[in-house]
Amino acid sequence: MNQMQETSYKEKKQIAIVTGASSGIGLEISRQIVSLGYSVFGFGRDFTKTSYSSPQFHPISMDLTNIHELQEKIKELKREYRIFILVNNAGIGYFGLHEELNPLKIHEMVTLNVEVPFVLTQLLLRDLKREAGFLFNISSITAKKNNPHGCAYGATKAALTSFSSSLFEEARKYGVTVTAVHPDMTKSNFYRNADFKESEETDCHILAEEVADFVSLTLKLRSGLCLSDVTIQPQKHRLAKRIL
């Protein structure tokens, strides 16, 4: 890259990319990154019910599992902006006895929870190295324990956590902060496909904005200090029955 190209590159604005940004944890992370002064390009399937709006929040409606379309959109953003923050948050969970799942549900979980963050990271890692930027993989407490009635989901999150750990070692010398975030039961619509949900008792669940707090905290740490692995849990463990 010659000097003129370098000057042009530095004139580009730093941005954040957040997947699963239409609701829940992804939306709260987007809010907090915007509050820190960054523009956020939020990827999600449907933003029609998203009440949040800001001149710095740019919703992109698309099916992330369409890898070709995802690649083209990332190329488009890279031409206009410098990618400083990537948050791999989009995910889906199906729960129950493993034999009661069907191949389409298993495929959807593996694609969205594992393949999409792997691909996005590959597409943007050189950019993050150049910016000494931040990569957040929103995993799950299930990555760290046995998960009867959620074997496949827990395995996809364990894969994401393993990926984060190895990538941190690979990219840390380039100044990239890689953080795996492991939320426990979070008050959101994530468990819409399950026959259980978070308990309404405040000491039995965490809030989406509380997960976002740890992303914000990591972004505020002094240069040279990393928060590479975060587990966020309520004081008590209690579920509630969902009537499907």
Side-chain angles (χ1 to χ4, degrees), residues 55-108:
Q56 291 174 272
F57 180 64
H58 308 277
I60 299 173
S61 298
M62 67 175 297
D63 178 4
L64 287 169
T65 64
N66 185 330
I67 299 298
H68 175 72
E69 184 180 354
L70 178 61
Q71 287 178 290
E72 292 305 308
K73 178 55 70 172
I74 292 300
K75 287 178 184 177
E76 179 185 320
L77 290 175
K78 287 172 66 169
R79 284 193 292 267
E80 299 294 327
Y81 302 99
R82 294 156 56 194
I83 315 302
F84 184 56
I85 302 166
L86 170 61
V87 182
N88 287 314
N89 167 74
I92 192 165
Y94 292 106
F95 303 92
L97 295 174
H98 190 68
E99 70 266 24
E100 293 178 356
L101 297 180
N102 61 54
L104 289 177
K105 289 180 178 179
I106 294 171
H107 176 72
E108 186 178 2

Side-chain angles (χ1 to χ4, degrees), residues 10 12 25-26 40 49-50 54 64 107 122 127-129 133-135 142 147 166 172 175 242:
K10 289 182 177 178
K12 294 180 179 179
I25 292 173
V40 173
K49 296 180 182 179
T50 305
S54 165
L64 287 169
H107 176 72
Q122 186 276 323
D127 301 80
L128 294 174
K129 286 180 177 180
F134 293 82
L135 169 62
T142 60
N147 301 285
S166 295
R172 63 191 301 186
R242 180 190 295 277

Side-chain angles (χ1 to χ4, degrees), residues 12-52:
K12 294 180 179 179
K13 186 177 182 180
Q14 282 186 329
I15 66 163
I17 292 174
V18 180
T19 66
S22 61
S23 63
I25 292 173
L27 180 59
E28 292 303 327
I29 289 174
S30 298
R31 289 179 195 263
Q32 292 211 22
I33 294 177
V34 165
S35 74
L36 295 176
Y38 296 99
S39 290
V40 173
F41 286 79
F43 287 69
R45 193 181 295 270
D46 183 6
F47 285 89
T48 57
K49 296 180 182 179
T50 305
S51 58
Y52 175 66

Side-chain angles (χ1 to χ4, degrees), residues 213-244:
D213 287 341
F214 283 90
V215 173
S216 182
L217 171 64
T218 304
L219 292 170
K220 295 175 183 177
L221 292 175
R222 66 168 175 81
S223 177
L225 184 63
C226 299
L227 195 59
S228 61
D229 188 300
V230 179
T231 300
I232 311 165
Q233 296 179 271
Q235 184 65 43
K236 298 177 182 178
H237 176 68
R238 187 172 296 137
L239 303 179
K241 185 74 174 176
R242 180 190 295 277
I243 306 299
L244 297 177

